[in-house]
Amino acid sequence: MFTVEEFANMTMKIIANDGFDGYLPTAIYPARRNLVVLEGVPENSDIEHIAFKWASNGAIDDEEFLVAFKISSSSFKVIRQYEGVKEDGVFDVSNNNT
């Protein structure tokens, strides 16, 4: 199992190395140790709906997954889905000196 905060911390490390401007939606499937990135999301689209549906479609049966995506110029959201329960958190990258 992976918590929202653990995935957010991992995401912050990636952002610290690569920057936040081009951050793409990223999903992780902990049981399979599989990490994937979504490219080609149109600007001004409903990123939360698109990213969650994309991550859900990549899950096998009721597999746990987490997805992170940019929601503003300085923050991102992480959603975790596990056994039908959805939880989320919003994280500010400006606190990470990115």
Side-chain angles (χ1 to χ4, degrees):
M1 286 189 359
F2 232 98
T3 68
V4 167
E5 290 77 15
E6 288 170 334
F7 192 48
N9 289 335
M10 188 172 112
T11 301
M12 290 262 202
K13 289 177 185 175
I14 292 167
I15 291 167
N17 286 332
D18 299 341
F20 193 53
D21 287 342
Y23 184 76
L24 298 173
T26 304
I28 189 168
Y29 304 90
R32 289 184 278 148
R33 297 180 184 217
N34 188 21
L35 183 77
V36 292
V37 175
L38 176 61
E39 296 183 90
V41 177
E43 283 191 45
N44 302 318
S45 58
D46 183 355
I47 187 65
E48 182 166 344
H49 174 77
I50 292 168
F52 185 78
K53 184 173 181 177
W54 163 74
S56 295
N57 289 340
I60 299 171
D61 298 324
D62 198 19
E63 176 183 28
E64 174 190 19
F65 69 87
L66 296 94
V67 61
F69 50 91
K70 187 175 182 175
I71 58 172
S72 76
S73 62
S74 63
S75 61
F76 66 95
K77 185 172 188 175
V78 173
I79 300 175
R80 177 180 182 245
Q81 177 82 23
Y82 182 63
E83 294 183 348
V85 177
K86 190 174 173 182
E87 62 181 305
D88 60 57
V90 174
F91 302 87
D92 186 353
V93 297
S94 64
N95 293 334
N96 199 36
N97 299 321
T98 56

